[in-house]
Amino acid sequence: MNVRFAPLPPRRSSQKPHAAAQALRDRPGEWAHIHTHSSGTRDENSNRANNQSHRIRTGTLVAFRPAGTFEATTRSNDDGTTEVWARYVATSG
């Protein structure tokens, strides 16, 4: 094991979720395809898509806050891929 002391690199954050959330806000009520999970088995793709859908609905993904302002669901395809679909439904109270 090698030890090297150096400044901690900054966290890298993808802007894709923020761009997707803004696109949904720009067209409230319309469903849009967010992502297709295709790199694993049918079950793995489904689990990943369901997890992403849950994180969108609950606002766990920062871009989709406040919680409850987005709806998200998944659709499984015959080829083993699973898609995530979402829409912006309202602003928080």
Side-chain angles (χ1 to χ4, degrees):
M1 179 180 339
N2 295 323
V3 176
R4 176 177 59 99
F5 289 91
L8 183 64
R11 288 183 186 252
R12 294 196 176 137
S13 174
S14 172
Q15 293 304 307
K16 289 179 183 179
H18 295 281
Q22 187 57 52
L24 294 172
R25 284 185 187 97
D26 290 344
R27 296 176 69 165
E30 292 185 51
W31 286 101
H33 174 264
I34 300 297
H35 189 79
T36 298
H37 292 270
S38 60
S39 62
T41 66
R42 181 179 299 272
D43 287 341
E44 289 169 339
N45 292 335
S46 179
N47 287 340
R48 289 178 184 134
N50 284 325
N51 186 327
Q52 185 179 25
S53 175
H54 174 77
R55 290 182 291 144
I56 290 170
R57 288 192 312 272
T58 60
T60 304
L61 288 172
V62 173
F64 295 92
R65 288 184 183 163
T69 57
F70 292 87
E71 291 180 344
T73 190
T74 62
R75 293 294 184 264
S76 296
N77 299 313
D78 292 336
D79 63 1
T81 62
T82 305
E83 299 176 344
V84 177
W85 289 76
R87 68 179 175 174
Y88 179 70
V89 292
T91 56
S92 179

